[in-house]
């Protein structure tokens, strides 16, 4: 019996379709509309009787059914097919829809039409989007424009399945970002495996990554499936990829290209479906130039590049992170409501944080532990903050006490040392003098007389030096 | 005056944003001034189509389903949009020339069920 006959002979059939809380369309084998249920009529803005005999695609206006290819495929394969897409209604509204196409058969088993169910997924999409944005932002703190850019890029990257290369200085949150990317990707329910390429010697790393068979080498009394197979269907995060040895880089490249590899000592090829996220604090491009990193692997990994900004470039985030970590550690120690004094904040805001967020976190932890009250002052900050960078390496004693006021010392050198000492440049006297002048000018709002006074110089001396350093 | 119709084969394309072909016809006093021009786009893009309509100084756009955003944009640019048209583009063009084409119309020839798309 043909589907048209079914529709006409069984009046209850249309009522049945109307009872379904989704849009339903029935097309014949010519892909023309036979009927629409009431829900779809309301969704599209067409009456079922008006569109009977019209090509389904002209009425549904869906995006995936390019020239009816999908409908034809369902008729040919006789299998159900479902996918996400959208439709444009007569009222010019674009609605995201989940399509389910099912082939209908007559009593002889021949295809007699297609049943299309359209599930409005606009509500689900909005929720997904909000959840997606939240999940990315939950773990990573930052409101600076630089971090906003990272978040924007992350929400794009998490929707793809391509390899991602995260670069940035140590402590900028590369691991957190990689994990957030995994959690918000399609592979979120699958494993996330992190491997530090710099932590293990080459031979061990190979077996760690790709696994080994029993007896592959001395001591291999049991087999090991390896990180790549552990991460099957999920994500593998290769941190410090810049430290990977050249022979392993070749093997990694072949895995990335073919998604296949041989375990150490094995003769059976293993196939994996893994997304690779790599991270490094090195400049891979310069490593390539120096011949320490394979160019082909670099280009293979560098499909999507996510640079993480250092903390000193993140406007306004230092204060946010300081407060967050101090509150966190204060609560842990049973001292709620801890905060930094304004003077301590002044120091901390001017510090350059070479160790980025990791260092800031440690400073907050140190201060929370050392401080006996609720207000963290300068004396509660780690003393190394007040030493010049170069003195840290050779363990020189503290050069300047943070408690020394600028008023007590009038020499220009001291003005620089009064700030957290790491801010001072290590490029010699010329650089330091230049920096001092710039700082003095900044503090005096560009007034040269005041700046000269601050520096303890005459106005002419300042003018001469400005000329010398080409600042004026 | 010019009319632009987004097409798919011989028919008005079901969706404006997914149209890769357009025909542009110049007319005067309900008469065509020569053979309509056909343009094939390198990629499908509603923005590109809006751009073409403006650059070609089209007075009327005939299309299938169009999003409100693009409809409003073209209307703002003083381009008349006759949307949700279902049928052969030659018939749609003829009716548009005669000023008889209405938005949402389903032209009768489309119901044959023998349309090759």
């Amino acid at each position: 019996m043909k589907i048209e006959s079914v529709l006409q002979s069984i009046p209850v059939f249309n009522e049945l379709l109307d009872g379904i809380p989704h849009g339903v369309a029935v097309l014949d084998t010519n892909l023309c509309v036979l009927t629409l249920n009431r829900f779809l009529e309301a969704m599209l803005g067409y009456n079922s009787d008006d569109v009977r005999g019209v090509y389904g695609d002209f009425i549904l206006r869906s995006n995936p059914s390019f020239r009816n290819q999908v409908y034809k495929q369902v008729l040919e394969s006789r299998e159900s097919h479902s996918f996400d897409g959208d439709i444009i209604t007569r009222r010019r509204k674009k609605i995201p829809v989940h399509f389910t196409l099912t082939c209908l058969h007559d009593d002889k088993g021949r295809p007699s039409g297609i049943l299309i169910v359209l599930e409005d997924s606009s509500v689900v999409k909005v929720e997904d989007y909000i959840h997606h944005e939240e999940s990315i932002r939950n773990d990573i703190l930052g409101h600076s424009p630089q971090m906003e850019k990272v978040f924007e890029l992350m929400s794009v990257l998490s929707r793809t399945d391509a390899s991602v290369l995260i670069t940035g200085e140590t402590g900028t949150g590369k691991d957190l970002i990689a994990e957030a990317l995994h959690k918000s990707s399609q592979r979120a329910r699958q494993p996330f495996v992190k491997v530090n390429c710099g932590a293990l010697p080459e031979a061990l790393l190979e077996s760690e990554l790709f696994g080994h068979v029993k007896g592959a080498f001395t001591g291999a009394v049991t087999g090991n499936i390896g990180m790549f197979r552990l991460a099957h269907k999920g994500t593998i995060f290769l941190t410090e990829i810049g430290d990977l040895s050249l022979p392993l880089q070749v093997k990694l490249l072949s895995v990335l290209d073919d998604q296949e590899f041989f375990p150490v000592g094995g003769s059976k090829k293993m196939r994996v479906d893994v997304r690779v996220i790599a991270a490094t604090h090195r400049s891979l491009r310069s490593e390539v130039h120096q011949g320490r990193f394979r160019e082909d692997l670099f280009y293979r990994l560098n499909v999507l590049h996510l640079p993480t900004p250092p903390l000193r470039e993140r406007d306004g985030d230092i204060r946010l992170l300081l407060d967050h970590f101090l509150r966190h550690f204060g609560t842990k120690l049973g001292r709620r409501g801890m905060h930094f004094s304004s003077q301590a904040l002044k120091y901390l805001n001017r510090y350059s944080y070479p160790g980025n967020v990791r260092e800031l976190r440690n400073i907050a932890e140190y201060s929370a532990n050392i401080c006996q009250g609720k207000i963290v002052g300068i004396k509660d900050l780690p003393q190394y903050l007040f030493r010049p960078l170069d003195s840290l390496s050779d363990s020189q004693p503290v050069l300047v006490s943070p408690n020394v006021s600028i008023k007590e010392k009038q020499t220009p050198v001291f003005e620089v040392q009064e700030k957290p000492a790491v801010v001072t440049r290590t490029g010699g006297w010329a650089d330091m003098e230049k920096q001092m002048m710039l700082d003095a000018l900044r503090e005096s709002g560009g007034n040269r007389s005041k700046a000269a006074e601050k520096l303890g110089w005459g106005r002419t001396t300042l003018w001469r030096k400005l000329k010398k350093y080409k600042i004026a | 005056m010019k009319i632009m119709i987004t097409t798919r084969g011989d028919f008005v394309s079901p969706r404006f944003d997914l149209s890769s072909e357009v025909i542009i016809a110049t007319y005067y006093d309900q008469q065509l001034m020569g053979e309509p021009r056909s343009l094939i786009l390198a990629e499908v893009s509603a923005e590109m189509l809006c751009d073409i309509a403006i650059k070609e100084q089209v007075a009327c756009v005939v299309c299938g389903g169009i999003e409100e955003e693009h409809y409003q944009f073209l209307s703002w640019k003083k381009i008349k949009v006759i949307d949700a048209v279902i049928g052969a583009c030659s018939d749609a063009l003829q009716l548009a020339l005669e000023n008889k084409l209405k938005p949402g119309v389903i032209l009768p020839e489309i119901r044959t069920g023998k349309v090759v798309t």
Side-chain angles (χ1 to χ4, degrees):
Chain A
M1 189 183 269
K2 279 201 151 195
I3 188 73
E4 294 95 315
S5 326
V6 174
L7 286 169
Q8 284 160 9
S9 62
I10 312 172
V12 80
F13 190 82
N14 278 322
E15 285 175 30
L16 204 73
L17 292 183
D18 289 343
I20 299 171
H22 299 299
V24 180
V26 181
L27 308 186
D28 62 15
T29 44
N30 291 323
L31 307 178
C32 294
V33 175
L34 287 175
T35 188
L36 309 176
N37 75 343
R38 209 171 289 161
F39 195 95
L40 192 60
E41 283 180 346
M43 202 192 241
L44 295 173
Y46 284 111
N47 190 303
S48 190
D49 296 333
D50 294 343
V51 297
R52 188 162 296 126
V54 178
Y55 243 90
D57 193 26
F58 286 136
I59 301 298
L60 295 178
R61 299 190 186 113
S62 59
N63 64 336
S65 63
F66 182 69
R67 296 190 180 232
N68 294 319
Q69 286 301 318
V70 184
Y71 303 148
K72 283 176 188 162
Q73 264 175 25
V74 170
L75 275 181
E76 279 165 17
S77 67
R78 301 182 185 193
E79 282 175 6
S80 292
H81 188 43
S82 64
F83 48 86
D84 288 310
D86 54 56
I87 56 167
I88 292 187
T89 70
R90 203 175 152 181
R91 288 179 286 274
R92 305 179 195 115
K93 198 175 167 197
K94 194 183 208 173
I95 304 175
V97 165
H98 183 77
F99 292 86
T100 307
L101 274 60
T102 311
C103 184
L104 301 170
H105 300 92
D106 59 13
D107 43 9
K108 287 176 185 162
R110 288 173 306 200
S112 61
I114 302 177
L115 181 81
I116 307 173
V117 179
L118 298 94
E119 235 175 295
D120 182 351
S121 50
S122 48
V123 184
V124 184
K125 287 261 173 191
V126 171
E127 277 177 5
D128 268 4
Y129 184 75
I130 294 167
H131 175 73
H132 183 80
E133 292 290 303
E134 275 178 0
S135 66
I136 282 182
R137 284 169 172 263
N138 269 352
D139 303 331
I140 306 163
L141 277 178
H143 293 303
S144 58
Q146 293 82 355
M147 282 311 285
E148 288 294 334
K149 272 186 202 164
V150 171
F151 291 136
E152 271 173 35
L153 197 55
M154 279 173 73
S155 52
V156 175
L157 299 188
S158 60
R159 289 190 176 93
T160 72
D161 207 33
S163 307
V164 179
L165 178 65
I166 307 170
T167 55
E169 291 178 14
T170 178
T172 47
K174 298 185 286 292
D175 291 28
L176 271 182
I177 288 174
E179 205 166 342
L181 280 178
H182 167 74
K183 277 183 186 168
S184 50
S185 73
Q186 298 279 330
R187 297 174 180 261
R189 289 182 186 171
Q190 306 297 335
F192 175 76
V193 178
K194 181 182 161 183
V195 185
N196 189 332
C197 301
L200 293 168
E202 185 188 330
L204 215 54
L205 187 63
E206 184 177 4
S207 113
E208 194 74 3
L209 281 175
F210 306 107
H212 62 254
V213 295
K214 188 179 170 184
F217 46 83
T218 315
V221 286
T222 54
N224 175 17
I225 66 164
M227 296 299 189
F228 263 97
R229 279 164 72 195
L230 272 181
H232 184 55
K233 300 263 181 203
T235 307
I236 191 163
F237 175 46
L238 303 171
T239 179
E240 301 309 342
I241 189 89
D243 297 343
L244 203 66
S245 66
L246 282 167
L248 269 184
Q249 288 176 24
V250 181
K251 197 160 179 179
L252 180 62
L253 182 67
S254 77
V255 177
L256 289 174
D257 282 340
D258 312 328
Q259 302 264 309
E260 284 178 342
F261 61 88
F262 286 101
V264 179
S267 54
K268 196 179 159 197
K269 205 174 232 182
M270 297 294 171
R271 189 160 184 81
V272 285
D273 169 21
V274 173
R275 183 191 195 186
V276 176
I277 300 179
T280 180
H281 69 280
R282 294 171 194 270
S283 162
L284 282 191
R285 206 173 282 277
S286 68
E287 293 285 305
V288 169
H289 285 308
Q290 288 164 20
R292 288 204 290 260
F293 201 83
R294 286 183 65 96
E295 196 174 1
D296 41 10
L297 180 60
F298 169 67
Y299 289 122
R300 188 68 185 76
L301 288 171
N302 200 23
V303 179
L304 300 167
H305 181 211
L306 179 65
T308 54
L311 187 56
R312 61 182 170 278
E313 288 174 13
R314 288 166 58 176
D315 309 329
D317 278 355
I318 293 177
R319 178 70 195 269
L320 177 81
L321 290 162
L322 280 170
D323 287 344
H324 168 78
F325 286 122
L326 188 69
R327 205 179 313 125
H328 171 75
F329 291 115
T331 313
K332 260 187 163 182
L333 294 166
R335 276 180 283 156
R336 288 175 185 275
M338 284 187 83
H339 61 275
F340 287 100
S341 70
S342 55
Q343 213 179 355
L345 273 177
K346 198 176 143 199
Y347 272 87
L348 290 167
N349 277 327
R350 291 168 77 173
Y351 182 57
S352 62
Y353 297 96
N356 293 296
V357 185
R358 188 182 288 121
E359 188 182 6
L360 181 141
R361 188 178 188 274
N362 291 345
I363 292 171
E365 188 171 7
Y366 176 93
S367 310
N369 279 289
I370 295 296
C371 177
Q372 294 305 306
K374 285 198 170 179
I375 302 170
V376 178
I378 290 175
K379 62 179 178 7
D380 303 316
L381 299 178
Q383 288 299 302
Y384 78 86
L385 294 181
F386 307 103
R387 285 180 221 164
L389 247 189
D390 45 1
S391 76
L392 293 176
S393 52
D394 48 10
S395 311
Q396 290 294 310
V398 179
L399 293 177
V400 183
S401 160
N403 297 326
V404 178
S405 151
I406 187 166
K407 284 176 186 165
E408 291 172 45
K409 297 276 178 182
Q410 290 301 321
T411 54
V413 178
F414 226 97
E415 190 183 339
V416 176
Q417 288 179 338
E418 189 262 350
K419 296 168 202 160
V422 182
V423 178
T424 55
R425 300 292 185 266
T426 52
W429 173 248
D431 276 0
M432 197 169 172
E433 198 174 46
K434 195 173 165 185
Q435 189 59 41
M436 275 162 50
M437 286 194 294
L438 286 171
D439 288 348
L441 281 166
R442 200 175 295 122
E443 279 168 26
S444 60
N447 187 321
R448 291 185 187 186
S449 305
K450 283 184 186 167
E453 200 179 322
K454 267 179 184 289
L455 291 162
W457 298 343
R459 201 171 178 280
T460 326
T461 313
L462 178 66
W463 175 81
R464 187 167 46 77
K465 286 188 187 279
L466 286 173
K467 278 282 205 196
K468 181 182 163 190
Y469 295 118
K470 293 179 181 161
I471 299 173
Chain B
M1 303 270 266
K2 284 181 184 175
I3 292 181
M4 182 173 104
I5 306 179
T6 58
T7 60
R8 192 174 86 181
D10 294 334
F11 295 86
V12 177
S13 145
R15 273 177 70 151
F16 181 77
D17 59 342
L18 299 179
S19 308
S20 56
E21 305 157 35
V22 292
I23 58 167
I24 297 172
T26 311
Y27 69 100
Y28 181 73
D29 194 20
Q30 299 193 357
Q31 294 291 318
L32 279 179
M33 308 282 286
E35 197 65 16
R37 266 190 305 136
S38 184
L39 293 179
I40 296 174
L41 311 182
E43 55 183 305
V44 291
S45 154
E47 285 72 22
M48 197 186 275
L49 286 169
C50 291
D51 208 30
I52 291 173
I54 292 162
K55 279 185 184 152
E56 291 280 343
Q57 296 181 319
V58 164
C60 174
V61 168
V62 176
C63 60
I66 184 171
E67 271 187 88
E68 186 68 27
E69 183 189 355
H70 302 119
Y71 178 86
Q72 293 296 348
F73 175 76
L74 291 170
S75 304
W76 175 56
K77 289 284 175 186
K78 305 211 169 14
I79 297 171
K80 184 182 175 187
V81 183
I82 305 172
D83 68 327
V85 174
I86 299 173
C89 54
S90 54
D91 297 342
L93 178 60
Q94 190 54 43
L95 286 170
L97 289 177
E98 292 166 12
N99 213 10
K100 287 179 185 166
L101 192 68
K102 298 273 179 284
V105 71
I106 301 174
L107 300 174
E109 290 74 12
I110 199 82
R111 290 178 200 275
T112 56
K114 289 170 188 169
V115 180
V116 180
T117 55

